[in-house]
Amino acid sequence: MSVRRFVIIGQTALGSGEFSLDDLASSSGRLDVLLRCVRAALLVSHGLRREVLVYLVLRGDPGAPRVVRIDGRSAKFLRPDERSLATLLRKTLAVGAGRELEEVRPGLSLCDGDLEKVLEDVGDGPRYVLDERGEDVRTCALSEDGVFFFGDHLGFDDATLVRLQDCPRLSLGPVSLHSEDAVTLVSNELDRRTT
Ligand SMILES: C[S@@+](CC[C@H](N)C(=O)[O-])C[C@H]1O[C@@H](n2cnc3c(N)ncnc32)[C@H](O)[C@@H]1O
């Protein structure tokens, strides 16, 4: 079975679970953006995409940098509303993390570390950076086993772009979209080509 992997770089999203569920956007360093990407990548109408892995890179202090991996093959209790997802993340982030990804709740793994941890974990498969200025996705070959990198509300920082400079850049069109909408469009593009 092929597995799609989506990586979202959260430049300000807190690495600790010390945010308020009642004021998620402003208390979590915009973790809400990343949670909407989780929903877009993993949840469909009345179901969960089992063939998807999502990596969240959390770079906002305190607690940063940290990586959370959500594996659709084993995840439980994923619900589409942001508050439920935020509650799940908060419980996950409350656990002390080691240097290697370790499952701390069903399907949710956590470690200390940054993009390098993700690159180690995903291995050598095809990688793509989602970028408004890239090549039109409709004219590109896409691997069903690809790893797709997305920026958050701030886009990508320069160091990340340098680290990923060898990856092809894919554009979803001329308009800069919200990250979760970009995730949806990539999923849709893969669905259309493979189902
Ligand atoms: C809100 S956008 C980032 C906007 C940010 N101000 C910038 O200039 O990079 C969030 C992310 O979604 C992806 N994205 C949004 N629109 C896209 C498009 N038209 N084509 C490809 N990727 C897109 C990119 O990965 C982007 O970093």
Side-chain angles (χ1 to χ4, degrees):
M1 184 177 72
S2 48
V3 178
R4 299 176 189 178
R5 284 153 300 173
F6 296 90
V7 183
I8 301 97
I9 308 291
Q11 294 201 53
T12 57
L14 295 196
S16 77
E18 293 162 27
F19 51 80
S20 162
L21 293 173
D22 294 325
D23 188 13
L24 185 61
S26 49
S27 69
S28 69
R30 297 308 310 271
L31 184 68
D32 59 309
V33 173
L34 278 63
L35 295 176
R36 287 193 291 274
C37 291
V38 169
R39 189 203 57 71
L42 279 155
L43 293 165
V44 290
S45 179
H46 303 297
L48 178 64
R49 290 183 187 268
R50 293 286 173 198
E51 78 293 3
V52 170
L53 279 169
V54 178
Y55 294 84
L56 306 180
V57 177
L58 308 175
R59 289 180 169 165
D61 279 328
R66 270 174 144 187
V67 172
V68 176
R69 183 183 66 197
I70 305 166
D71 188 336
R73 293 167 295 192
S74 47
K76 289 185 180 161
F77 315 120
L78 285 186
R79 310 214 191 289
D81 68 284
E82 227 167 274
R83 192 180 175 93
S84 299
L85 290 173
T87 303
L88 192 58
L89 251 287
R90 194 162 74 160
K91 288 178 185 164
T92 302
L93 292 170
V95 176
R99 296 184 63 78
E100 303 305 324
L101 275 166
E102 194 173 331
E103 190 170 58
V104 296
R105 310 186 70 80
L108 276 88
S109 302
L110 176 69
C111 72
D112 286 332
D114 207 312
L115 178 60
E116 290 309 319
K117 290 288 170 197
V118 177
L119 296 177
E120 272 171 32
D121 201 62
V122 298
D124 287 333
R127 299 169 179 175
Y128 309 89
V129 170
L130 273 293
D131 177 353
E132 293 86 329
R133 295 159 298 257
E135 196 179 333
D136 189 338
V137 71
R138 293 186 178 171
T139 62
C140 295
L142 290 183
S143 168
E144 173 67 357
D145 275 318
V147 185
F148 299 88
F149 293 87
F150 299 81
D152 63 2
H153 59 297
L154 300 174
F156 290 104
D157 59 295
D158 290 344
T160 298
L161 287 177
V162 168
R163 184 66 183 86
L164 300 175
Q165 65 187 349
D166 294 335
C167 307
R169 300 203 180 178
L170 298 180
S171 170
L172 300 163
V175 177
S176 182
L177 306 167
H178 289 298
S179 306
E180 70 267 28
D181 295 333
V183 170
T184 300
L185 287 179
V186 171
S187 298
N188 181 257
E189 197 63 39
L190 290 167
D191 291 345
R192 285 168 168 273
R193 295 181 191 199
T194 58
T195 47

